[in-house]
Amino acid sequence: MSRVIPTINTARLTLRAMKPSDFDRYAELWADAGVVSDIGVPARSRSEAWGAFLRNAGHWQITGFGQWAIEPHRAGAMVGHVGFFFAARGWGGDFDVYPEAGWVLARDVQGTGYGREAAQAAHDWFDRVVTGPLVCVVARDNVRSLAVADRLGYKGLRDSPDGSAHLMFRKSPPQGVMA
């Protein structure tokens, strides 16, 4: 099965397919303790990052959705990624059966609005092409991501089993948010 990964342009960003040359930056993001602490997970080794990078490519092939590289216009470099995946976390039928949304940004671009802009564009695409409920996980203290999730229409479901994050559910897009 072959799937084409769409490219999405916003006012400041391009969401595009990840390419092999993105891997070093991807591995840097997931090894950065400051980035992963905002997500509520441990840093990944280069080998663990490689496995996750390949799983992303597989998501597009198997499910028709996945994650995009986030690239500011004229920057020529990935600053994060955004999109959808199945994590098979074993957290129950009210969570694991739905696609999970996620957004990750390098520390040097956090606070620029890129996360909100990229997540909104990705969700707009999902709502047009795939449709249906979504879930996300946001670390308890990640105020910026909690605000993004709220804007996208996510509501609290419950806490993660270890209590470090909020599990959130989105039945459909909020009224008036889709572009």
Side-chain angles (χ1 to χ4, degrees):
M1 172 183 335
S2 177
R3 305 224 188 209
V4 175
I5 301 170
T7 298
I8 300 171
N9 288 297
T10 70
R12 302 181 299 160
L13 305 171
T14 297
L15 308 185
R16 60 163 175 80
M18 287 189 208
K19 47 193 177 187
S21 59
D22 291 325
F23 176 67
D24 285 338
R25 181 65 164 151
Y26 183 93
E28 286 173 18
L29 289 171
W30 284 96
D32 185 328
V35 170
V36 297
S37 68
D38 283 341
I39 301 167
V41 298
R44 290 180 180 164
S45 69
R46 190 166 174 84
S47 175
E48 291 166 329
W50 179 245
F53 191 75
L54 293 177
R55 277 192 306 277
N56 179 57
H59 263 91
W60 282 106
Q61 293 301 309
I62 300 300
T63 67
F65 57 79
Q67 298 219 354
W68 290 271
I70 302 170
E71 185 176 300
H73 295 316
R74 297 176 296 282
M78 181 178 99
V79 297
H81 57 92
V82 63
F84 311 96
F85 53 93
F86 283 107
R89 296 176 188 271
W91 288 351
D94 62 342
F95 188 85
D96 289 333
V97 299
Y98 301 109
E100 186 174 329
W103 46 92
V104 177
L105 286 175
R107 282 194 284 168
D108 62 330
V109 297
Q110 291 177 6
T112 62
Y114 286 172
R116 181 207 45 79
E117 189 173 329
Q120 183 68 63
H123 280 72
D124 290 347
W125 175 87
F126 185 93
D127 293 334
R128 285 189 312 273
V129 177
V130 182
T131 72
L134 290 164
V135 294
C136 71
V137 179
V138 180
R140 288 180 128 340
D141 299 328
N142 191 335
V143 176
R144 288 181 179 144
S145 280
L146 286 168
V148 169
D150 182 63
R151 176 177 164 79
L152 293 168
Y154 288 91
K155 303 296 179 207
L157 181 64
R158 59 187 159 83
D159 285 341
S160 62
D162 69 359
S164 67
H166 298 293
L167 305 187
M168 304 182 84
F169 180 79
R170 177 184 187 257
K171 184 175 182 178
S172 60
Q175 294 296 332
V177 172
M178 260 182 63

